[in-house]
Amino acid sequence: MKKLLNTLYVTSPNTYLSLDGENIVIQKDGGEFARIPLHNLESIVAFGYTGASPALMGACAKKNIGLSFMTQSGKFLSRIVGENRGNVTLRKAQYRISDSEVQSTSIARNFIVGKIFNARWVIERATRDYTLRLDVEKLKRASQFMAKSIDNVISCENLEQLRGFEGEAASQYFSVFDDLILQQKDDFFFNARNKRPPLDNVNAMLSFVYTLLAHDVAGALETVGLDAYVGFLHRDRPGRISLALDLMEELRSVYADRFVLSLINKRIVNEKGFMQKENGAVVMEEDTRKAILTAWQGKKQEKITHPFLNEKLEWGLVPYAQSMLLARYIRGDLDEYPPFLWK
């Protein structure tokens, strides 16, 4: 199994990234701020308008270190990848499947089965752990609806149907998401999912963490030789990492959403770390972003037992494990893609 290395997050906008030998040098205000060996890194994520030298970008491409640029608020801008070292036959098989709606639906069904299954168990786990603090009957109704949705997804025959069932299940899940926020209720509440722009503190965090997860999944897909930009459920769109968005569907609730809930319920973040702009958009202060990124790195180090591989691995390697299983299915080594099903 691949070794989990560090991700370097550069959050200050007035820095410049350069290369010195085998080290990345972070320069700030005309001087050296930090120096980090490249061999300790698997990816670099720069927020704001941070510059990077051509030499560093070339070294990252050569060493297969993902280098992504985000806006200060966490919106994805671009990602630098190196020479394509993936198996050409694997990618050609991926492209053929993507061109066929029937075959695309067959894979996409499993992504969405995983998504709904995991979202349902986030609700079920909450009703078990916080029985006296939650409206259990309300949450159980949503859970039962989602259980029926899984049956509908398994039997659906095209992508349009699949998106409809996925949307209904997501609506039920988000209808009870606010109930899962147990602390700081006056400042952290969830009425509906909104993202362009996020209009409250919870949506701002969800969008930010989803971007981090998409970055990790895209890097994992490229590592196993797949094209992160050619998806099955999410169709081709210039600049969109469609396959990464496909694969992360099954990880959103169990990995990203539970992480955001823990930040709120453990009071790792508070209302002082957010600012609302004139247009209603809510953005995070730099200290809040840093706190979230530190916690995200810690989350990635936590170990679980993978439900299909039956192997202990860090959360941060789950995107890689699922990418590897998807590649095996596309190559014909597995009869079906096994989604990540958490309990």
Side-chain angles (χ1 to χ4, degrees):
M1 178 63 71
K2 173 183 167 70
K3 182 180 178 181
L4 180 64
L5 298 177
N6 294 317
T7 299
L8 172 64
Y9 298 102
V10 184
T11 60
S12 179
N14 58 338
T15 55
Y16 184 79
L17 310 181
S18 62
L19 182 70
D20 183 13
E22 293 295 310
N23 300 292
I24 176 174
V25 177
I26 303 174
Q27 298 173 321
K28 184 176 181 180
D29 300 327
E32 182 176 316
F33 178 72
R35 176 181 293 257
I36 301 167
L38 281 177
H39 68 264
N40 288 337
L41 301 175
E42 63 181 358
S43 61
I44 302 167
V45 183
F47 293 88
Y49 300 99
T50 306
S53 71
L56 175 64
M57 290 189 282
C60 288
K62 183 178 180 180
K63 295 177 181 295
N64 199 30
I65 297 173
L67 176 56
S68 295
F69 295 95
M70 315 282 188
T71 66
Q72 198 68 22
S73 61
K75 181 182 178 182
F76 177 81
L77 291 175
S78 65
R79 181 170 178 269
I80 294 173
V81 295
E83 179 184 356
N84 181 7
R85 297 182 175 87
N87 185 328
V88 64
T89 58
L90 173 63
R91 293 206 177 199
K92 287 177 72 174
Q94 176 189 355
Y95 300 151
R96 284 194 294 269
I97 293 173
S98 180
D99 285 339
S100 166
E101 177 158 345
V102 172
Q103 291 180 286
S104 291
T105 302
S106 178
I107 297 180
R109 273 199 302 260
N110 286 14
F111 293 144
I112 300 306
V113 165
K115 176 178 183 175
I116 300 174
F117 180 95
N118 290 333
R120 178 172 180 251
W121 277 103
V122 168
I123 296 173
E124 289 288 338
R125 175 72 69 91
T127 62
R128 185 194 71 184
D129 293 345
Y130 304 104
T131 304
L132 299 179
R133 301 182 64 180
L134 296 173
D135 184 344
V136 173
E137 185 178 343
K138 175 184 176 183
L139 269 65
K140 286 290 186 180
R141 285 197 300 269
S143 175
Q144 290 165 6
F145 182 95
M146 295 165 74
K148 294 178 182 177
S149 295
I150 293 175
D151 294 333
N152 292 333
V153 166
I154 291 172
S155 62
C156 80
E157 298 179 350
N158 58 64
L159 293 175
E160 184 177 356
Q161 273 188 337
L162 181 58
R163 294 188 185 101
F165 293 135
E166 184 274 334
E168 291 174 350
S171 178
Q172 285 292 314
Y173 169 69
F174 280 127
S175 73
V176 297
F177 192 77
D178 186 68
D179 296 63
L180 307 182
I181 300 172
L182 303 176
Q183 302 289 339
Q184 308 185 81
K185 294 288 288 187
D186 290 340
D187 302 304
F188 293 91
F189 48 83
F190 185 91
N191 296 323
R193 179 75 179 113
N194 48 72
K195 49 189 174 180
R196 294 188 183 92
L199 301 177
D200 56 65
N201 298 346
V202 177
N203 274 291
M205 285 195 292
L206 287 174
S207 292
F208 184 66
V209 173
Y210 288 164
T211 301
L212 298 177
L213 180 56
H215 164 86
D216 292 345
V217 174
L221 289 165
E222 295 286 348
T223 298
V224 302
L226 290 167
D227 189 335
Y229 290 85
V230 179
F232 306 118
L233 177 64
H234 293 83
R235 308 310 288 171
D236 296 347
R237 182 185 298 174
R240 182 168 74 175
I241 45 177
S242 296
L243 186 58
L245 297 178
D246 283 355
L247 193 62
M248 70 179 278
E249 290 289 2
E250 60 202 69
L251 301 178
R252 284 181 187 267
S253 61
V254 66
Y255 192 1
D257 295 355
R258 290 183 78 240
F259 172 73
V260 168
L261 289 169
S262 72
L263 293 175
I264 300 168
N265 292 334
K266 293 180 179 179
R267 299 181 182 272
I268 296 171
V269 296
N270 59 61
E271 80 284 358
K272 296 179 181 178
F274 299 82
M275 177 182 66
Q276 189 168 40
K277 295 185 174 181
E278 291 182 0
N279 66 350
V282 173
V283 296
M284 292 179 288
E285 302 284 1
E286 184 172 350
D287 286 347
T288 299
R289 282 198 304 274
K290 288 180 178 179
I292 293 175
L293 292 170
T294 299
W296 183 248
Q297 280 294 89
K299 176 69 176 178
K300 289 166 70 172
Q301 300 290 336
E302 293 177 8
K303 288 198 172 184
I304 61 166
T305 299
H306 192 280
F308 181 80
L309 299 174
N310 197 29
E311 178 181 343
K312 279 195 173 295
L313 73 165
E314 295 93 340
W315 262 115
L317 287 179
V318 171
Y320 173 80
Q322 294 306 120
S323 298
M324 180 182 64
L325 292 169
L326 180 59
R328 287 181 181 177
Y329 167 72
I330 292 173
R331 279 196 296 262
D333 298 334
L334 291 173
D335 293 334
E336 190 173 12
Y337 165 70
F340 181 82
L341 303 177
W342 173 84
K343 276 193 179 181

